[in-house]
Amino acid sequence: MTSLTQTAELLDGKAVAARVRREVGTRAAAFAAQHGRPPGLAVVQVGTNAASTVYVRNKRKACEETGIRSFAYDPPSAVTRQELLDLVRHLNRDDQVDGILMQLPLPPGLDANEIMDAIDPAKDVDGFHPENTGLLAQKRPRLRPCTPYGVIRLAAEYGIALRGLRATVVGASNIVGRPMALELLLAGATVTVCHTGTRDLAAEVERADVVVAAVGRPGMVRGAWIREGAAVFDVGINRTEGGRLVGDVEFEPAAARAAWITPVPGGIGPMTIAMLLSNTLDAATALHPLPRAADQS
Protein backbone atom coordinates (compact mmCIF):
# COMPACT_ATOMS: atom_id res chain seq x y z
CA MET A 1 0.00 0.00 0.00
CA THR A 2 1.35 3.41 -0.98
CA SER A 3 1.84 5.73 2.02
CA LEU A 4 0.59 9.30 1.86
CA THR A 5 2.51 12.26 3.20
CA GLN A 6 0.60 15.37 4.19
CA THR A 7 1.88 18.45 2.35
CA ALA A 8 -1.09 20.75 2.95
CA GLU A 9 -1.01 23.48 5.57
CA LEU A 10 -3.82 22.97 8.07
CA LEU A 11 -6.26 25.89 8.20
CA ASP A 12 -6.67 26.22 11.95
CA GLY A 13 -10.26 27.31 12.46
CA LYS A 14 -9.92 27.18 16.23
CA ALA A 15 -7.09 29.69 16.27
CA VAL A 16 -8.74 32.09 13.83
CA ALA A 17 -12.08 31.77 15.62
CA ALA A 18 -10.33 32.70 18.86
CA ARG A 19 -9.06 35.90 17.21
CA VAL A 20 -12.56 36.72 15.95
CA ARG A 21 -13.96 36.16 19.45
CA ARG A 22 -11.41 38.54 20.93
CA GLU A 23 -12.45 41.14 18.37
CA VAL A 24 -16.09 40.55 19.28
CA GLY A 25 -15.32 40.84 22.99
CA THR A 26 -13.67 44.22 22.44
CA ARG A 27 -16.60 45.45 20.34
CA ALA A 28 -19.15 44.10 22.84
CA ALA A 29 -17.45 45.94 25.70
CA ALA A 30 -17.48 49.18 23.70
CA PHE A 31 -21.15 48.71 22.85
CA ALA A 32 -22.04 48.11 26.49
CA ALA A 33 -20.14 51.22 27.56
CA GLN A 34 -21.92 53.31 24.94
CA HIS A 35 -25.44 51.96 25.39
CA GLY A 36 -25.59 50.90 29.03
CA ARG A 37 -26.29 47.28 28.20
CA PRO A 38 -24.54 44.41 26.45
CA PRO A 39 -25.56 43.35 22.95
CA GLY A 40 -28.28 40.68 23.12
CA LEU A 41 -28.80 37.44 21.21
CA ALA A 42 -32.01 35.42 21.52
CA VAL A 43 -31.41 31.72 20.87
CA VAL A 44 -34.57 29.70 20.21
CA GLN A 45 -34.49 25.91 20.33
CA VAL A 46 -37.77 24.10 19.72
CA GLY A 47 -37.93 20.63 21.25
CA THR A 48 -35.06 18.44 22.44
CA ASN A 49 -33.06 17.41 19.37
CA ALA A 50 -29.80 16.04 20.83
CA ALA A 51 -27.47 17.54 18.22
CA SER A 52 -29.24 20.90 18.40
CA THR A 53 -28.89 20.91 22.18
CA VAL A 54 -25.10 20.61 21.86
CA TYR A 55 -24.93 23.38 19.25
CA VAL A 56 -27.17 25.69 21.28
CA ARG A 57 -25.17 25.10 24.46
CA ASN A 58 -21.96 26.00 22.62
CA LYS A 59 -23.50 29.15 21.17
CA ARG A 60 -24.82 30.32 24.52
CA LYS A 61 -21.46 29.65 26.16
CA ALA A 62 -19.69 31.60 23.41
CA CYS A 63 -22.01 34.55 24.07
CA GLU A 64 -21.11 34.57 27.75
CA GLU A 65 -17.38 34.45 26.97
CA THR A 66 -17.54 37.45 24.62
CA GLY A 67 -19.81 39.76 26.60
CA ILE A 68 -23.02 39.14 24.67
CA ARG A 69 -26.17 38.56 26.71
CA SER A 70 -27.88 35.34 25.67
CA PHE A 71 -31.66 35.09 25.96
CA ALA A 72 -32.77 31.44 26.08
CA TYR A 73 -36.12 30.39 24.62
CA ASP A 74 -36.87 26.65 24.60
CA PRO A 75 -40.49 26.02 23.58
CA PRO A 76 -41.57 22.36 23.55
CA SER A 77 -41.78 20.38 20.32
CA ALA A 78 -45.59 20.58 20.63
CA VAL A 79 -45.48 24.38 20.20
CA THR A 80 -47.99 25.54 17.61
CA ARG A 81 -47.16 27.49 14.49
CA GLN A 82 -48.96 30.55 15.85
CA GLU A 83 -47.20 30.38 19.21
CA LEU A 84 -43.80 30.25 17.54
CA LEU A 85 -44.66 33.10 15.18
CA ASP A 86 -45.86 35.14 18.17
CA LEU A 87 -42.53 34.50 19.92
CA VAL A 88 -40.59 35.65 16.85
CA ARG A 89 -42.67 38.82 16.60
CA HIS A 90 -42.13 39.50 20.30
CA LEU A 91 -38.36 39.20 19.82
CA ASN A 92 -38.52 41.44 16.74
CA ARG A 93 -40.00 44.18 18.95
CA ASP A 94 -37.73 43.62 21.97
CA ASP A 95 -35.22 46.46 22.10
CA GLN A 96 -32.85 44.38 24.27
CA VAL A 97 -32.56 41.72 21.54
CA ASP A 98 -30.20 42.61 18.70
CA GLY A 99 -30.06 39.19 17.06
CA ILE A 100 -32.40 36.21 16.74
CA LEU A 101 -31.17 32.69 16.11
CA MET A 102 -33.72 29.98 15.34
CA GLN A 103 -31.99 26.62 15.76
CA LEU A 104 -32.77 24.22 12.91
CA PRO A 105 -34.16 21.71 12.24
CA LEU A 106 -37.63 22.46 13.54
CA PRO A 107 -39.96 19.60 14.55
CA PRO A 108 -42.25 18.11 11.87
CA GLY A 109 -45.33 20.18 11.21
CA LEU A 110 -43.56 23.54 11.44
CA ASP A 111 -42.61 25.30 8.21
CA ALA A 112 -39.03 26.45 8.70
CA ASN A 113 -39.26 28.88 5.79
CA GLU A 114 -42.32 30.57 7.24
CA ILE A 115 -40.75 30.89 10.69
CA MET A 116 -37.40 32.13 9.40
CA ASP A 117 -39.06 34.63 7.06
CA ALA A 118 -40.89 36.13 10.06
CA ILE A 119 -37.60 37.15 11.71
CA ASP A 120 -36.74 40.84 11.31
CA PRO A 121 -34.02 40.86 8.60
CA ALA A 122 -32.07 43.39 10.70
CA LYS A 123 -31.89 40.79 13.51
CA ASP A 124 -31.32 37.76 11.28
CA VAL A 125 -27.83 36.89 12.56
CA ASP A 126 -27.92 33.53 10.75
CA GLY A 127 -28.11 35.44 7.46
CA PHE A 128 -30.85 33.15 6.12
CA HIS A 129 -33.63 35.68 5.52
CA PRO A 130 -34.40 36.18 1.79
CA GLU A 131 -33.70 39.91 2.17
CA ASN A 132 -30.18 39.25 3.45
CA THR A 133 -29.57 36.59 0.81
CA GLY A 134 -30.74 39.04 -1.84
CA LEU A 135 -28.43 41.75 -0.57
CA LEU A 136 -25.50 39.31 -0.73
CA ALA A 137 -26.48 38.41 -4.31
CA GLN A 138 -26.50 42.12 -5.20
CA LYS A 139 -22.99 42.61 -3.77
CA ARG A 140 -24.33 44.64 -0.82
CA PRO A 141 -23.87 42.20 2.07
CA ARG A 142 -25.44 43.03 5.43
CA LEU A 143 -25.84 40.00 7.72
CA ARG A 144 -24.11 37.08 6.01
CA PRO A 145 -24.66 33.31 6.46
CA CYS A 146 -22.21 32.29 9.16
CA THR A 147 -20.57 29.21 7.66
CA PRO A 148 -19.79 30.70 4.22
CA TYR A 149 -18.70 33.93 5.92
CA GLY A 150 -16.39 31.82 8.10
CA VAL A 151 -14.81 30.22 5.04
CA ILE A 152 -14.10 33.65 3.57
CA ARG A 153 -12.59 34.94 6.83
CA LEU A 154 -10.44 31.83 7.22
CA ALA A 155 -9.13 32.18 3.66
CA ALA A 156 -8.29 35.82 4.29
CA GLU A 157 -6.44 35.02 7.52
CA TYR A 158 -4.18 32.61 5.64
CA GLY A 159 -3.59 34.97 2.73
CA ILE A 160 -5.49 32.86 0.19
CA ALA A 161 -6.40 35.41 -2.49
CA LEU A 162 -9.64 34.14 -4.03
CA ARG A 163 -9.93 36.65 -6.85
CA GLY A 164 -9.55 34.97 -10.24
CA LEU A 165 -9.42 31.43 -8.84
CA ARG A 166 -11.68 28.63 -10.04
CA ALA A 167 -13.86 27.54 -7.13
CA THR A 168 -16.10 24.49 -6.93
CA VAL A 169 -18.79 24.22 -4.27
CA VAL A 170 -20.03 20.68 -3.69
CA GLY A 171 -23.57 21.00 -2.34
CA ALA A 172 -26.34 23.47 -3.12
CA SER A 173 -28.24 23.88 0.16
CA ASN A 174 -29.74 27.22 1.16
CA ILE A 175 -27.70 27.17 4.36
CA VAL A 176 -24.22 26.62 2.91
CA GLY A 177 -23.90 25.79 -0.78
CA ARG A 178 -25.85 28.60 -2.42
CA PRO A 179 -24.67 31.44 -0.15
CA MET A 180 -21.14 30.04 -0.37
CA ALA A 181 -21.27 30.48 -4.14
CA LEU A 182 -22.43 34.09 -3.66
CA GLU A 183 -19.60 34.76 -1.18
CA LEU A 184 -17.03 33.36 -3.60
CA LEU A 185 -18.46 35.47 -6.43
CA LEU A 186 -18.23 38.52 -4.17
CA ALA A 187 -14.57 37.65 -3.58
CA GLY A 188 -13.94 37.56 -7.34
CA ALA A 189 -13.70 33.80 -7.89
CA THR A 190 -15.13 31.94 -10.88
CA VAL A 191 -17.67 29.61 -9.31
CA THR A 192 -19.19 26.22 -10.14
CA VAL A 193 -21.87 24.70 -7.89
CA CYS A 194 -22.27 20.92 -7.93
CA HIS A 195 -25.50 19.16 -6.89
CA THR A 196 -27.47 15.99 -7.50
CA GLY A 197 -27.78 16.84 -11.20
CA THR A 198 -24.03 17.21 -11.74
CA ARG A 199 -22.92 14.66 -14.32
CA ASP A 200 -19.20 14.37 -13.54
CA LEU A 201 -18.40 15.50 -10.01
CA ALA A 202 -14.80 14.31 -10.20
CA ALA A 203 -14.09 16.47 -13.26
CA GLU A 204 -15.59 19.56 -11.64
CA VAL A 205 -13.48 19.10 -8.49
CA GLU A 206 -10.29 18.27 -10.43
CA ARG A 207 -10.24 21.64 -12.22
CA ALA A 208 -10.84 23.69 -9.06
CA ASP A 209 -8.27 25.86 -7.30
CA VAL A 210 -10.67 26.10 -4.34
CA VAL A 211 -12.99 23.32 -3.18
CA VAL A 212 -15.75 23.80 -0.62
CA ALA A 213 -17.46 20.54 0.35
CA ALA A 214 -20.85 20.80 2.04
CA VAL A 215 -22.98 17.72 1.44
CA GLY A 216 -23.01 15.84 4.75
CA ARG A 217 -21.66 12.58 3.33
CA PRO A 218 -18.37 11.25 4.72
CA GLY A 219 -15.55 11.00 2.18
CA MET A 220 -17.77 11.85 -0.79
CA VAL A 221 -15.08 14.08 -2.28
CA ARG A 222 -12.18 11.79 -3.08
CA GLY A 223 -8.68 12.92 -2.27
CA ALA A 224 -7.47 11.87 -5.72
CA TRP A 225 -9.79 14.48 -7.25
CA ILE A 226 -8.06 17.38 -5.51
CA ARG A 227 -5.92 19.53 -7.77
CA GLU A 228 -2.27 19.92 -6.74
CA GLY A 229 -1.93 23.12 -4.72
CA ALA A 230 -5.66 23.63 -4.18
CA ALA A 231 -7.31 25.09 -1.09
CA VAL A 232 -9.86 22.71 0.47
CA PHE A 233 -12.57 23.84 2.88
CA ASP A 234 -14.46 20.88 4.35
CA VAL A 235 -17.77 21.99 5.89
CA GLY A 236 -19.07 18.47 6.51
CA ILE A 237 -19.18 17.03 10.02
CA ASN A 238 -20.11 13.35 10.01
CA ARG A 239 -19.82 10.70 12.71
CA THR A 240 -18.62 7.26 11.66
CA GLU A 241 -19.94 4.01 13.12
CA GLY A 242 -16.87 4.00 15.34
CA GLY A 243 -17.77 7.43 16.70
CA ARG A 244 -15.04 9.37 14.89
CA LEU A 245 -15.84 12.78 13.38
CA VAL A 246 -14.92 13.09 9.70
CA GLY A 247 -15.63 15.52 6.90
CA ASP A 248 -17.01 15.26 3.38
CA VAL A 249 -13.49 15.13 1.93
CA GLU A 250 -11.27 12.04 2.04
CA PHE A 251 -8.74 13.77 4.25
CA GLU A 252 -5.38 11.94 4.02
CA PRO A 253 -5.11 11.68 0.22
CA ALA A 254 -6.51 15.21 -0.16
CA ALA A 255 -3.95 16.60 2.30
CA ALA A 256 -1.19 14.97 0.26
CA ARG A 257 -2.20 17.03 -2.80
CA ALA A 258 -3.65 20.30 -1.51
CA ALA A 259 -1.73 23.38 -0.40
CA TRP A 260 -4.26 24.18 2.35
CA ILE A 261 -6.97 22.09 3.98
CA THR A 262 -9.32 22.41 6.94
CA PRO A 263 -9.33 19.63 9.54
CA VAL A 264 -12.54 18.05 10.84
CA PRO A 265 -13.14 18.84 13.62
CA GLY A 266 -11.39 22.15 14.26
CA GLY A 267 -11.81 23.81 10.89
CA ILE A 268 -15.03 25.44 9.78
CA GLY A 269 -17.11 24.53 12.85
CA PRO A 270 -15.45 27.03 15.23
CA MET A 271 -15.55 29.69 12.50
CA THR A 272 -19.33 29.33 12.14
CA ILE A 273 -19.94 30.21 15.79
CA ALA A 274 -17.37 33.01 15.67
CA MET A 275 -19.06 34.65 12.69
CA LEU A 276 -22.45 34.31 14.42
CA LEU A 277 -21.05 36.40 17.27
CA SER A 278 -19.58 38.89 14.80
CA ASN A 279 -22.96 39.16 13.05
CA THR A 280 -24.62 39.85 16.39
CA LEU A 281 -22.33 42.82 16.98
CA ASP A 282 -22.91 44.04 13.42
CA ALA A 283 -26.67 43.83 13.97
CA ALA A 284 -26.46 45.60 17.35
CA THR A 285 -24.39 48.50 16.04
CA ALA A 286 -26.64 48.90 12.97
CA LEU A 287 -29.81 48.87 15.08
CA HIS A 288 -28.38 51.23 17.71
CA PRO A 289 -25.89 53.60 16.08
CA LEU A 290 -24.28 56.25 18.20
CA PRO A 291 -25.79 59.72 17.77
CA ARG A 292 -23.68 62.02 15.65
CA ALA A 293 -21.76 64.67 17.52
CA ALA A 294 -23.46 68.06 17.47
CA ASP A 295 -22.27 70.42 14.80
CA GLN A 296 -19.71 72.68 16.46
CA SER A 297 -19.45 75.15 13.61
Side-chain angles (χ1 to χ4, degrees), residues 210-279:
V210 178
V211 177
V212 182
V215 288
R217 291 178 57 185
M220 180 177 178
V221 177
R222 302 298 183 190
W225 300 348
I226 300 301
R227 181 187 179 96
E228 295 280 352
V232 179
F233 298 88
D234 193 346
V235 177
I237 300 179
N238 313 285
R239 193 172 294 278
T240 66
E241 291 183 0
R244 189 166 65 99
L245 289 178
V246 299
D248 292 345
V249 177
E250 196 178 23
F251 182 82
E252 286 80 8
R257 300 174 63 82
W260 301 274
I261 192 169
T262 57
V264 178
I268 302 303
M271 291 301 302
T272 297
I273 294 180
M275 302 322 292
L276 168 69
L277 301 174
S278 182
N279 274 352

Side-chain angles (χ1 to χ4, degrees), residues 117-152:
D117 288 356
I119 294 173
D120 182 347
K123 296 187 177 186
D124 166 41
V125 290
D126 267 327
F128 294 160
H129 193 282
E131 183 173 317
N132 287 322
T133 302
L135 287 170
L136 179 59
Q138 291 188 350
K139 302 186 288 186
R140 317 185 270 155
R142 182 172 61 187
L143 295 175
R144 299 153 75 165
C146 301
T147 298
Y149 196 12
V151 169
I152 296 299

Side-chain angles (χ1 to χ4, degrees), residues 94-178:
D94 189 338
D95 196 49
Q96 301 295 303
V97 172
D98 303 298
I100 302 170
L101 185 151
M102 182 68 60
Q103 183 65 40
L104 300 177
L106 295 177
L110 293 171
D111 184 343
N113 287 331
E114 180 185 27
I115 302 302
M116 300 298 286
D117 288 356
I119 294 173
D120 182 347
K123 296 187 177 186
D124 166 41
V125 290
D126 267 327
F128 294 160
H129 193 282
E131 183 173 317
N132 287 322
T133 302
L135 287 170
L136 179 59
Q138 291 188 350
K139 302 186 288 186
R140 317 185 270 155
R142 182 172 61 187
L143 295 175
R144 299 153 75 165
C146 301
T147 298
Y149 196 12
V151 169
I152 296 299
R153 176 65 187 264
L154 191 57
E157 289 284 337
Y158 278 87
I160 302 171
L162 298 171
R163 184 167 185 81
L165 299 184
R166 289 171 294 188
T168 293
V169 180
V170 184
S173 73
N174 288 337
I175 293 175
V176 180
R178 292 171 190 268

